[in-house]
Amino acid sequence: MKHVHSGKVRDLYQTDDGLLLMVASDRISAFDHILTPGIPDKGTILTKLSLWWFEQLADIVPHHVVSAGPDGRSVLCRPLRMVPVECVARGYLTGSGLTDYRRDGEVSGVRLEPGLVDGSRLAEPIFTPSTKAPVGEHDEPISFERVVQEVGAEAAEELRRITLAVYRRGAEIALERGIILADTKIELGWDADGVLTLGDEVLTPDSSRFWPLDQWEPGRQQPSFDKQYVRDWLTSPASGWDRASGEAPPPLPDEIVERTRDRYVEAYEKLTGQSFAG
């Protein structure tokens, strides 16, 4: 197969018949750095979880998967012409959205009510698109009007509708399982017939923030099922790493690797109701 692209987590190959083979590695990234070592089974967990979610969302938007590979971490996909913006939905305020809100009172041009804190639930989920930056650079929030400039009014409306519908379905299912879906980023592209289609991964701990419902407490950083555990260690004195230094982060300790894997497995099992056998 022809190697097409390697991202922070996935490697992409083209088959002789024009399909794409997407392989999810165990690599993990934080603060725009790929870290070492990887998290065992992470690629398999993300792939299996995405496949499960694609089925839950099938009545909202089609997906790109043709078939799943026998190794548990690869999928054969239809090629898509990817949308040139990141499609993000937020139901709760945290992360970069909180930073923007504290500075401007808005996120991606969406004005929010005053008095919100870290972890606040929003009155309604909002569409907060951003630029799709190259690896190593930061995505920047953009307004809906900017999306219209990029793709046209009709396509922009569809991107917003689909993104919010995916978020709402994911949040509803997660809440039934005792999990809050704070926000999510999805990848959309046009297929050969011009139909907007879900690509890459969907509603995984790498593309979304999942919080335990019973520990949700606005006004502080929430416990998380994603790689926040890794981020917290990197920014703690224990790592000895200065984020502003420009140097690569140090290797992850065995304990951090093991606990991060446990969080990914727990998220998979709680969301799907299935045990993860590796």
Side-chain angles (χ1 to χ4, degrees):
M1 296 184 196
K2 176 185 176 184
H3 176 251
V4 176
H5 175 73
S6 287
K8 292 176 183 175
V9 174
R10 286 169 179 75
D11 300 305
L12 204 60
Y13 302 86
Q14 187 174 44
T15 66
D16 291 339
D17 55 2
L19 295 176
L20 296 174
L21 183 72
M22 187 171 67
V23 184
S25 73
D26 291 337
R27 296 190 295 270
I28 188 168
S29 68
F31 304 118
D32 296 313
H33 291 275
I34 295 175
L35 310 175
T36 59
I39 308 300
D41 296 318
K42 175 174 174 281
T44 304
I45 294 167
L46 296 185
T47 299
K48 288 186 173 182
L49 185 55
S50 285
L51 290 170
W52 185 83
W53 276 118
F54 281 139
E55 291 195 9
Q56 314 308 310
L57 302 167
D59 62 321
I60 294 175
V61 58
H63 59 76
H64 67 155
V65 175
V66 175
S67 62
D71 59 353
R73 67 172 65 240
S74 65
V75 288
L76 198 62
C77 309
R78 292 177 289 130
L80 303 175
R81 181 168 58 89
M82 303 308 295
V83 170
V85 297
E86 297 282 12
C87 294
V88 181
R90 302 176 190 271
Y92 294 74
L93 189 62
T94 192
S96 63
L98 176 65
T99 301
D100 294 344
Y101 168 78
R102 285 172 170 168
R103 185 185 64 237
D104 305 321
E106 60 183 39
V107 184
S108 294
V110 180
R111 177 67 56 178
L112 299 176
E113 63 266 32
L116 300 179
V117 297
D118 194 351
S120 286
R121 182 177 181 178
L122 303 179
E124 289 288 337
I126 57 175
F127 179 56
T128 59
S130 65
T131 60
K132 189 172 284 190
V135 174
E137 298 182 21
H138 294 288
D139 296 337
E140 297 293 337
I142 56 176
S143 66
F144 181 73
E145 288 71 28
R146 172 82 177 275
V147 180
V148 171
Q149 292 173 11
E150 291 282 346
V151 300
E154 185 176 348
E157 289 285 358
E158 269 296 275
L159 293 178
R160 180 164 61 183
R161 182 190 68 78
I162 291 170
T163 304
L164 290 173
V166 167
Y167 172 82
R168 288 190 174 99
R169 176 66 57 81
E172 177 185 5
I173 291 174
L175 201 60
E176 292 171 353
R177 290 149 171 79
I179 294 175
I180 288 173
L181 174 60
D183 54 45
T184 192
K185 177 181 72 176
I186 64 174
E187 297 281 353
L188 289 163
W190 292 279
D191 68 7
D193 297 320
V195 176
L196 275 171
T197 302
L198 266 178
D200 199 44
E201 63 183 329
V202 63
L203 294 170
T204 72
D206 268 21
S207 64
S208 315
R209 282 188 177 90
F210 292 108
W211 299 335
L213 175 61
D214 59 2
Q215 298 178 55
W216 174 50
E217 186 181 317
R220 63 172 174 87
Q221 184 172 287
Q222 311 301 315
S224 177
F225 287 107
D226 59 21
K227 55 188 175 184
Q228 190 62 47
Y229 198 84
V230 169
R231 295 191 193 99
D232 291 345
W233 179 80
L234 285 173
T235 54
S236 73
S239 75
W241 179 59
D242 179 4
R243 185 180 173 187
S245 67
E247 297 179 1
L252 300 175
D254 291 344
E255 178 189 8
I256 300 299
V257 171
E258 182 179 347
R259 289 190 178 182
T260 302
R261 180 189 182 277
D262 289 346
R263 297 300 272 172
Y264 276 84
V265 171
E266 185 180 3
Y268 173 84
E269 293 185 341
K270 281 181 175 292
L271 287 167
T272 67
Q274 304 165 8
S275 63
F276 179 73

